[in-house]
Amino acid sequence: MAKTQATGVKSAHDYLFQREGMPPVGDMIPCALQHVLASFAGIITPAILIAATFNFTTQQRTDIIQVALILSAIDTALQAFAPFRRIGGNLPIVMGVSFAFLPALQAMGATFSFGALLGGEIVGGIAAILFGIFYGKLKAFFPPVVTGTVIFTIGVSLYPTAIKYMAGGEGTALWGTPQAWCVALVTFAVVFGLNNFAKGTLKLGSVFFGMIAGIIVSAPFGMLDFSAVGSAGIFAFPKIMPYAIEFHPEVCITLAVVYPMVAIQVIGDVSAACLGSMDRMPDERELSGAIVSQGATSLVSAFIGGLPTSALGQNVGIICSNKVVNKWVFVIVAAVFAAAGLLPQLSALLTAIPQPVIGGATVGVFGTITMNGVRMFTKDGLTPRTTTIVGTSVVFGLGIWMASGCLAGPGMPTWVTTVIGSNAITPAALMAIILNLILPVDPPHEIRKAATKEQAVAKVMPASKE
């Protein structure tokens, strides 16, 4: 690398850190596979939980898991290629079936059929597409203080997910056992060590190699179960319209509100990935395309019996950590998702990865997401206005989310519980948007004071290692 910098000659390895160009396949595969391994469980778990909500048969459960992987492949590929310059952001991001929609879908599943949810996905997908198309007129609602607050809230709200994975999975026989924590901490130690002290491929693929180490350590504890691989089919296409699509006003209205809120999360995740890996914010067209792609994938999802997609936060952390942004890395990610969806045996193999391994590999990643949010809302200094917006919004977001049922009392409309009370992101985003609109702009002397403080801190703090 030193030789490359001294002579100004670009090596093939350097293409990993640029959108265009073809890096060596040997460099791309570990970078792509760590994205797959970090996100795979998160993609299939919402499908498993929705299957349980609707009491699906074994075949229906297999179908919705396969479709979840195929949809993740479609949205990730659209984001990488950005066809027609309108669908996809042409930015480094991994998309997949997301937990973001899960509370709303589960709440409606208690009353409505799965076909009604698919009808709601069509309406929600259209709402997302319109939001993306007109983002240029709406972007004033999402300055760095708002998107930074959303990113920060996303990161913090993911912490319990990582810890539950590390502890073995809530409700399982491994939950809270020494074996689970041993595997999780060994995985974390390997990822941490490689990311901070290794170089080259070992550093870039730290999450991947850490998970391999965790899988090896988990074997003596009996955590690996490959029995499902032998019984899985060899090849399967998704079914077209496996369920009768229904349109119910309650479901359609709820998802028409939820989709734009999740689009804010997409804005936040895409912004974090772009800022953390390329040291710039995405432009209007890129963000618009990212949201349109999410909405378009949702329309496809409704016709093959799947679930909506969103940006995957754990992968944003990986992108920010290793700064690998080449589009062909993400094409490989999409190809593996598609293969897993079309080849049930490969899907079954990947589902055998123990939860403590996934938790140990991703816990540090979630911390990176949180700090990227801090980096964003402090970009122009921490003024009194910024402090008020961020602090108040996070209190509402995390507070409502942690106080389960606080918006579900007698007389409270169901849609309030479904849309606002089921997650931390929506109330934090709404509060940040409202406060940003009503609070007066900081006077110039406050901005100068905040900037001076930031510069003073930067001088006394040691330089961070890349």
Side-chain angles (χ1 to χ4, degrees):
M1 184 65 71
K3 183 178 179 180
T4 300
Q5 293 174 343
T7 61
V9 177
K10 185 177 295 182
S11 70
H13 175 82
D14 291 332
Y15 285 122
L16 282 174
F17 310 102
Q18 300 177 20
R19 286 296 291 163
E20 305 298 333
M22 181 62 69
V25 175
D27 286 343
M28 289 194 292
I29 288 178
C31 295
L33 289 182
Q34 71 176 355
H35 278 296
V36 173
L37 293 177
S39 60
F40 191 85
I43 289 172
I44 66 172
T45 300
I48 292 171
L49 294 175
I50 289 296
T53 299
F54 289 94
N55 295 314
F56 278 179
T57 64
T58 301
Q59 184 58 52
Q60 288 174 318
R61 180 177 178 270
T62 299
D63 290 344
I64 196 172
I65 291 172
Q66 289 182 253
V67 168
L69 291 163
I70 291 170
L71 290 167
S72 302
I74 291 171
D75 205 354
T76 300
L78 287 175
Q79 299 291 355
F81 287 113
F84 313 112
R85 288 186 53 80
R86 293 299 308 172
I87 306 175
N90 191 24
L91 291 172
I93 195 72
V94 177
M95 305 290 288
V97 169
S98 169
F99 285 99
F101 294 92
L102 190 61
L105 297 179
Q106 286 180 317
M108 289 180 289
T111 306
F112 300 96
S113 68
F114 188 65
L117 263 64
L118 299 181
E121 285 185 34
I122 293 176
V123 175
I126 293 172
I129 291 172
L130 292 174
F131 183 85
I133 291 173
F134 294 104
Y135 175 72
K137 299 183 183 301
L138 301 171
K139 66 179 181 179
F141 294 101
F142 307 104
V145 66
V146 173
T147 52
T149 300
V150 173
I151 294 169
F152 179 84
T153 306
I154 291 169
V156 174
S157 64
L158 285 170
Y159 291 174
T161 300
I163 297 302
K164 287 177 182 178
Y165 273 120
M166 292 180 77
E170 194 170 11
T172 68
L174 279 175
W175 176 249
T177 61
Q179 299 95 311
W181 279 103
C182 176
V183 172
L185 291 174
V186 167
T187 305
F188 167 75
V190 174
V191 173
F192 181 85
L194 292 178
N195 189 50
N196 287 278
F197 303 107
K199 296 181 180 179
T201 302
L202 286 176
K203 179 180 177 67
L204 295 174
S206 58
V207 174
F208 170 71
F209 293 116
M211 294 184 81
I212 296 297
I215 291 170
I216 294 172
V217 173
S218 70
F221 295 119
M223 294 183 189
L224 298 177
D225 180 9
F226 298 109
S227 59
V229 177
S231 60
I234 298 176
F235 187 86
F237 275 115
K239 300 178 178 67
I240 305 300
M241 292 192 70
Y243 305 92
I245 297 176
E246 305 170 18
F247 293 94
H248 292 271
E250 299 95 325
V251 178
C252 293
I253 292 172
T254 298
L255 290 184
V257 173
V258 170
Y259 267 78
M261 290 299 100
V262 176
I264 296 175
Q265 176 185 337
V266 173
I267 291 171
D269 281 334
V270 170
S271 298
C274 198
L275 181 64
S277 62
M278 298 189 288
D279 201 29
R280 71 172 178 87
M281 291 292 286
D283 62 30
E284 179 182 314
R285 196 218 64 78
E286 290 169 334
L287 289 174
S288 171
I291 299 168
V292 170
S293 174
Q294 180 205 19
T297 304
S298 181
L299 296 182
V300 175
S301 174
F303 291 99
I304 59 176
L307 301 174
T309 58
S310 183
L312 299 177
Q314 59 268 43
N315 296 84
V316 173
I318 295 173
I319 294 165
C320 295
S321 296
N322 63 19
K323 303 189 187 304
V324 172
V325 299
N326 187 273
K327 70 168 54 178
W328 293 106
V329 172
F330 297 89
V331 170
I332 294 174
V333 173
V336 175
F337 285 158
L342 296 173
L343 304 173
Q345 287 186 331
L346 176 56
S347 178
L349 179 65
L350 291 173
T351 58
I353 300 172
Q355 291 194 46
V357 174
I358 299 170
T362 57
V363 65
V365 168
F366 296 156
T368 302
I369 297 170
T370 305
M371 296 315 296
N372 271 301
V374 175
R375 180 184 178 191
M376 190 173 294
F377 64 66
T378 59
K379 187 171 179 286
D380 298 319
L382 199 59
T383 66
R385 182 177 188 273
T386 301
T387 302
T388 300
I389 293 173
V390 176
T392 306
S393 302
V394 171
V395 165
F396 272 89
L398 295 178
I400 289 173
W401 175 60
M402 292 176 180
S404 179
C406 68
L407 291 177
M412 183 66 74
T414 304
W415 70 266
V416 174
T417 304
T418 303
V419 176
I420 299 177
S422 60
N423 64 90
I425 300 164
T426 302
L430 288 173
M431 186 57 66
I433 292 170
I434 293 169
L435 293 178
N436 179 64
L437 291 174
I438 65 176
L439 287 178
V441 177
D442 282 311
H445 73 274
E446 289 289 356
I447 297 175
R448 287 194 297 270
K449 185 192 300 182
T452 302
K453 287 182 179 178
E454 292 294 321
Q455 293 170 359
V457 170
K459 288 180 180 179
V460 299
M461 292 296 288
S464 60
K465 292 189 289 186
E466 291 292 336

